[in-house]
Amino acid sequence: MNTPKVVLVTGASAGIGKATVELLLREGFIVYGAARRVEQMRDIASKGARIIAMDVTNDESMINGVNQIMKEQGRIDVLFNNAGYGSYGSVEDVPLEEARRQFEVNLFGLSRLTQLVLPVMRKQKSGKIINTSSAGGKVYTLLGAWYHAAKHALEGFSDCLRLEVKPFGIDVIIIEPGATESEWSKIVFQHVQKTSGTTAYSEVANAFIKTFEKLEKSSTVYPPDRIARLVSEAIRSKKPKTRYVAGNARPVLLMRKVLSDKMFDRILNRIFGI
């Protein structure tokens, strides 16, 4: 690359975000890693990443982050919206405050950051917005209503955005990972136990945790650098795909496509022993 592209990666303190920052640095990009936990980005800072303290639920921190990049680089070529987490628990048990936070982090924060970079990309007449969705954006599981709702919404949001910004030379790309090595499952288990572990849904919650742990041990869990390579591929491609499906998301999405709702329900109930 004669002129290195400038990339902003959110959720850069762990997992897919950190792996993507590391890969893009090796490939010669100018990379800004953004996250709340600045201390967990010291390792990528030592490798050349520019570090930004950013909370995607805090408007001021997002504005300051974008302004910093523009002041230092004068452009933003790629926004990789990767920050997010999984909030699980029964619909009856999850406080609406937590449900709103799930949407704030997984959808509205992403949307606001997108709004902030779009004027820059329109002026440049080029840019790429890459959103981390999930196989969970197309399928569903028990106790995951708010997580899946947010990811389903992200899929629709991204599709609409893609149509809107294409005339300005901007691409919108969705990454749909399957099981990936990260803090995600640990956080999910904590939320399930805290929210529904001692309620009327305790048996379901315990069955969910035990089954999910078994699936993680028996299934192929992909390292985050596999997903990072897909992000790099999307950035480098002149005509990127609208969606990049990774890992064991493929068979899950195929199963959802060909099976009826009730058949898919029965399979889930059998898997989780309910």
Side-chain angles (χ1 to χ4, degrees), residues 116-137:
L116 292 172
V117 304
L118 279 176
V120 176
M121 292 182 175
R122 282 194 295 101
K123 186 176 180 180
Q124 295 168 180
K125 297 182 180 180
S126 66
K128 290 183 178 179
I129 296 170
I130 304 174
N131 296 330
T132 296
S133 180
S134 165

Side-chain angles (χ1 to χ4, degrees), residues 7-252:
V7 184
L8 170 58
V9 179
T10 66
S13 61
I16 293 171
K18 179 172 283 190
T20 301
V21 170
E22 292 175 334
L23 175 60
L24 296 182
L25 286 172
R26 292 195 299 270
E27 294 180 339
F29 293 91
I30 296 172
V31 187
Y32 284 79
R36 291 181 298 111
R37 300 175 297 180
V38 175
E39 70 282 356
Q40 294 194 24
M41 296 189 287
R42 289 173 183 165
D43 53 345
I44 57 175
S46 68
K47 298 176 183 179
R50 280 79 162 176
I51 299 306
I52 296 176
M54 183 183 293
D55 181 344
V56 296
T57 67
N58 183 290
D59 198 60
E60 184 179 2
S61 76
M62 289 187 280
I63 292 172
N64 290 341
V66 171
N67 287 343
Q68 177 184 334
I69 298 172
M70 290 303 297
K71 181 178 179 180
E72 295 174 359
Q73 306 297 334
R75 63 184 297 113
I76 299 174
D77 298 294
V78 180
L79 169 61
F80 179 29
N81 283 311
N82 175 69
Y85 76 105
S87 182
Y88 274 58
S90 77
V91 170
E92 185 176 347
D93 293 329
V94 175
L96 285 183
E97 181 181 357
E98 170 58 27
R100 292 187 182 98
R101 184 173 185 274
Q102 178 77 143
F103 269 79
E104 284 291 340
V105 174
N106 287 8
L107 181 65
F108 295 125
L110 170 155
S111 305
R112 178 57 178 147
L113 194 52
T114 297
Q115 287 181 329
L116 292 172
V117 304
L118 279 176
V120 176
M121 292 182 175
R122 282 194 295 101
K123 186 176 180 180
Q124 295 168 180
K125 297 182 180 180
S126 66
K128 290 183 178 179
I129 296 170
I130 304 174
N131 296 330
T132 296
S133 180
S134 165
K138 296 283 186 63
V139 301
Y140 53 89
T141 59
L142 64 160
L143 303 182
W146 294 112
Y147 174 76
H148 290 285
K151 289 300 185 182
H152 277 67
L154 175 58
E155 295 271 343
F157 169 86
S158 300
D159 286 333
C160 294
L161 179 65
R162 184 177 66 250
L163 295 175
E164 292 176 11
V165 300
K166 188 64 177 177
F168 301 105
I170 303 168
D171 293 311
V172 177
I173 300 142
I174 301 170
I175 305 293
E176 296 175 335
T180 306
E181 292 174 6
S182 69
E183 300 174 333
W184 188 87
S185 59
K186 179 182 178 181
I187 294 171
V188 166
F189 296 158
Q190 290 173 346
H191 274 271
V192 168
Q193 192 61 52
K194 178 182 177 181
T195 305
S196 296
T198 57
T199 71
Y201 299 88
S202 60
E203 290 187 15
V204 177
N206 292 329
F208 175 88
I209 293 172
K210 290 178 181 178
T211 302
F212 213 105
E213 288 175 338
K214 289 179 182 179
L215 289 173
E216 281 196 323
K217 292 177 181 178
S218 62
S219 303
T220 301
V221 179
Y222 285 83
D225 61 290
R226 290 280 292 269
I227 314 302
R229 289 201 291 270
L230 288 181
V231 177
S232 173
E233 179 184 335
I235 292 173
R236 291 176 172 278
S237 175
K238 292 183 179 180
K239 294 183 178 181
K241 301 175 183 177
T242 58
R243 284 172 170 79
Y244 289 80
V245 181
N248 62 1
R250 291 184 182 279
V252 172

